Amino acid sequence: MGERPSETEFEEATSEIVPPPPRSWENWKKFLEGLGALQISELRLYTDVDFVAEAYNFGPYSFLNALAHSRKDPGALRPGIVLRVEWHLMADMRVPMETNDDHYHGGDLFDELTALASLLLDARIMAGPVDREFRPGEDPMGRPRGYDASYLPALPQSNQRPQLPYLTGSRDLRDLADLGSLPHLTPGAAAALIKAARLFQNALWVADTSPENAWLLLVSAIETAAAHWDSDKRTPEERFALSYGGVINMLKKANVEKLIPKMARAFNGVIGATSKFVGFLEAFSPGEPEKRPMFDKLNYSQQPMTAAFKCIYALRSRALHAGVPFPYPMCIPPERFDEGPYGEVPGGLAASARGATWNRDDTPMLLHTFAYLARGALLAWWRTLIPEEIQERRPIFSERLTALGPVSDRFRPFAPDPQRGTGFSDEAG
């Protein structure tokens, strides 16, 4: 048998490592210092919808309408937005030896902004590669870049009806206004929001061709937000006491009460997962949509909704741990009657498909219904993260390119830091 870990080893294993803030948040904070940009990058955001208006000067970020339209296929993927990013962060070449990945979401600063835009606009949007850069002392018109050209988003195509029929149409880039709250969030809240938005963004992207995985991504988006929300309500010690009161009594009898906070941190995030998921959706649910179908309606009363949320989380657990995908009736495209709103739940009292059968109570809603609930809950939660003093103040951004002024006026004098590396961002190339 192996030796028991010493108290020092246990302390080191359960000590909390503070994650770095999201890059988009940190870059905006640096912008507010007013020192000027180190460089400017432009890249295209790919989408299957059209846009109206524009949004310049969101701090160091601007969303330019590329006026991209497809005459042959209105739903084809195209570069609909040009995202302009002013870099105010020095590249940090140091690599710590400790693993620190609680904040990791698999993307860079461009992906963070694109995910937040996807959530706010309720649209499929994905970042492409950087294709133009502006640097101090170089061509004032910018330089084309192609070193990332091999990475282009590809939207999976389906020959069925759309799973999320409300994603089509056009979007107004002025509806990105709530993005202006980003630098006013705490670093932890910003990280949780961006991780949840990334999951929501990926769910929209694969919904038509992989609805079972879209379900998992949407549930994970809510789980991510719920974990942060719950941490604001209870301390790790309080959650540990609710779920493992007997263990706490044993530790007290053994006169090692000082281990309780460390064990609470070690178990934090895995306690009460279902209650956090259900509680979050109950707290932030957007309620009934304005337009309802004549048939196949979801019952929005409290008790049926709570039962539906518990059922969905149980299905998520079976999918992850037992290899049983979300039920087929919950993964079929919605139907509509007389050109009205789409059905919200699977029809009939029971269903049979692909060798399996399901009672209607075990298939509580369709994918597009849960996507509506998830997005509404995430947006409502986002607003609670904004400090009260700026909640009622709409962020100011420009709708005109002329407000930018000469590009050269936006750069700061170049002064590299020998301890951190060059003055250029590693993400911008």
Side-chain angles (χ1 to χ4, degrees):
M1 294 180 64
E3 295 183 2
R4 295 175 61 186
S6 67
E7 185 175 328
T8 301
E9 290 172 329
F10 182 82
E11 216 171 297
E12 291 176 352
T14 57
S15 62
E16 188 173 358
I17 299 176
V18 179
R23 296 284 282 171
S24 56
W25 179 94
E26 191 177 15
N27 189 54
W28 202 325
K29 285 289 192 181
K30 280 291 184 182
F31 163 82
L32 295 176
E33 295 178 6
L35 299 178
L38 293 165
Q39 69 183 76
I40 298 173
S41 301
E42 286 185 354
L43 66 152
R44 301 178 188 187
L45 307 186
Y46 287 78
T47 183
D48 59 349
V49 300
D50 300 326
F51 297 100
V52 299
E54 297 189 296
Y56 293 94
N57 291 3
F58 260 128
Y61 311 122
S62 295
F63 293 80
L64 290 65
N65 191 341
L67 300 176
H69 299 279
S70 175
R71 295 181 180 178
K72 291 181 64 177
D73 182 3
L77 190 66
R78 51 195 179 274
I81 301 173
V82 173
L83 173 62
R84 178 176 293 160
V85 173
E86 294 182 20
W87 289 96
H88 296 262
L89 294 175
M90 292 281 190
D92 193 347
M93 307 304 291
R94 298 171 296 181
V95 180
M97 292 293 101
E98 302 87 4
T99 297
N100 187 356
D101 63 356
D102 284 349
H103 62 290
Y104 179 71
H105 54 72
D108 54 24
L109 176 147
F110 307 125
D111 296 310
E112 293 176 2
L113 295 168
T114 308
L116 293 173
S118 179
L119 176 62
L120 285 169
L121 298 175
D122 195 20
R124 280 184 282 249
I125 310 174
M126 200 68 71
V130 172
D131 48 27
R132 182 171 292 273
E133 290 178 348
F134 301 83
R135 295 191 176 186
E138 296 185 3
D139 189 336
M141 303 298 288
R143 291 284 299 174
R145 296 297 184 208
Y147 42 73
D148 258 348
S150 60
Y151 175 68
L152 285 174
L155 181 62
Q157 296 296 315
S158 171
N159 58 4
Q160 298 186 26
R161 300 188 310 276
Q163 290 279 349
L164 308 175
Y166 301 114
L167 289 185
T168 58
S170 65
R171 301 292 187 272
D172 192 328
L173 290 179
R174 289 169 294 192
D175 289 337
L176 292 172
D178 283 343
L179 184 62
S181 67
L182 182 63
H184 302 286
L185 308 185
T186 65
L193 172 63
I194 286 170
K195 286 197 295 183
R198 285 274 289 160
L199 291 161
F200 180 85
Q201 171 197 34
N202 287 323
L204 300 191
W205 200 258
V206 302
D208 283 344
T209 54
S210 186
E212 298 89 351
N213 286 324
W215 267 108
L216 290 174
L217 289 165
L218 288 173
V219 171
S220 294
I222 296 300
E223 277 193 291
T224 300
H228 184 274
W229 168 71
D230 187 70
S231 68
D232 286 344
K233 293 173 54 185
R234 300 188 184 98
T235 66
E237 290 85 352
E238 289 171 337
R239 285 195 297 277
F240 190 62
L242 286 172
S243 298
Y244 295 98
V247 175
I248 287 180
N249 290 334
M250 292 171 58
L251 294 172
K252 288 180 177 178
K253 288 180 181 179
N255 296 319
V256 286
E257 295 97 328
K258 60 185 177 182
L259 291 181
I260 293 175
K262 300 179 180 65
M263 292 189 69
R265 287 200 301 270
F267 281 86
N268 193 29
V270 298
I271 296 174
T274 302
S275 62
K276 284 188 283 190
F277 175 82
V278 174
F280 181 89
L281 286 171
E282 289 179 334
F284 298 110
S285 172
E288 297 184 19
E290 183 179 346
K291 297 180 180 180
R292 305 293 306 281
M294 292 181 60
F295 308 102
D296 297 337
K297 290 184 178 181
L298 178 66
N299 188 341
Y300 276 86
S301 302
Q302 182 176 355
Q303 189 173 350
M305 288 298 286
T306 298
F309 295 147
K310 288 181 178 179
C311 179
I312 288 170
Y313 198 76
L315 292 171
R316 165 264 185 206
S317 297
R318 290 189 74 203
L320 290 178
H321 305 304
V324 181
F326 266 74
Y328 180 80
M330 299 173 67
C331 298
I332 58 175
E335 296 184 4
R336 63 195 307 189
F337 303 94
D338 298 327
E339 300 302 315
Y342 288 85
E344 300 167 341
V345 301
L349 298 177
S352 176
R354 300 181 179 179
T357 58
W358 298 270
N359 182 277
R360 181 170 182 172
D361 292 339
D362 297 323
T363 57
M365 65 184 74
L366 293 171
L367 178 61
H368 82 94
T369 309
F370 188 69
Y372 158 77
L373 291 168
R375 176 175 179 265
L378 290 173
L379 291 178
W381 166 67
W382 182 348
R383 295 184 187 103
T384 67
L385 304 176
I386 305 172
E388 291 184 6
E389 59 270 20
I390 68 165
Q391 278 190 4
E392 301 301 325
R393 191 174 69 207
R394 294 287 286 179
I396 298 175
F397 60 92
S398 172
E399 298 176 26
R400 295 181 179 273
L401 179 61
T402 54
L404 285 171
V407 171
S408 58
D409 291 348
R410 306 182 73 81
F411 291 121
R412 76 172 81 169
F414 177 59
D417 184 340
Q419 293 184 349
R420 295 173 64 90
T422 70
F424 299 128
S425 163
D426 53 339
E427 290 178 45

